[in-house]
Amino acid sequence: MFILIIPLVMGLIVAGLASSKDKSAITWFIYGVLLWPIALIHILVSNDGTKKCPKCFSKIDVRATACPFCQHKTTQEEIKISKEEKVEEEKHNNTMLLILVIIIVILFFLFKVIAHQ
């Protein structure tokens, strides 16, 4: 019983961290339950919705059009690059979800085979 509690608690921790970084808490919870050591490291090093200002290098929100520290205005090219990065991150999240579903299916069949022996 105790061995089942650890992955659930770690899944909740990973989901909480993901939620604070504006990421899908449910997806990260499943990821955290199944592969919590990897998921914990992954969420800790992932982007938190900020970018660095190209002029003063302060962390600012990715949606900001001007840096609140140095007042540098974001150019159209920087906005385009930011949008492309967001699309790539969404593709990555969809791929991660697909991999999680595959892992769950494989584990389900493995447990079913082990239970019948």
Side-chain angles (χ1 to χ4, degrees), residues 19-75:
S19 179
S20 72
K21 294 185 176 193
D22 291 330
K23 297 184 184 291
S24 171
I26 294 171
T27 302
W28 282 88
F29 173 75
I30 295 168
Y31 183 27
V33 168
L34 295 176
L35 303 167
W36 66 265
I38 297 167
L40 185 60
I41 293 168
H42 189 178
I43 194 63
L44 289 174
V45 300
S46 69
N47 187 358
D48 61 354
T50 61
K51 62 181 177 181
K52 286 191 178 185
C53 171
K55 187 174 179 184
C56 70
F57 301 105
S58 298
K59 277 189 162 187
I60 59 174
D61 190 276
V62 293
R63 298 167 294 196
T65 57
C67 176
F69 303 104
C70 70
Q71 306 308 318
H72 171 73
K73 299 267 188 222
T74 305
T75 65

Side-chain angles (χ1 to χ4, degrees), residues 24 27-28 30-31 34-35 42 86-104:
S24 171
T27 302
W28 282 88
I30 295 168
Y31 183 27
L34 295 176
L35 303 167
H42 189 178
K86 183 70 174 171
V87 168
E88 287 299 317
E89 184 178 344
E90 287 176 11
K91 286 180 184 178
H92 170 74
N93 289 343
N94 290 339
T95 302
M96 186 177 75
L97 183 60
L98 178 63
I99 290 170
L100 288 174
V101 169
I102 291 169
I103 289 171
I104 290 170

Side-chain angles (χ1 to χ4, degrees), residues 108-117:
F108 174 77
F109 285 114
L110 282 175
F111 286 128
K112 198 166 190 158
V113 168
I114 291 171
H116 285 297
Q117 288 182 354

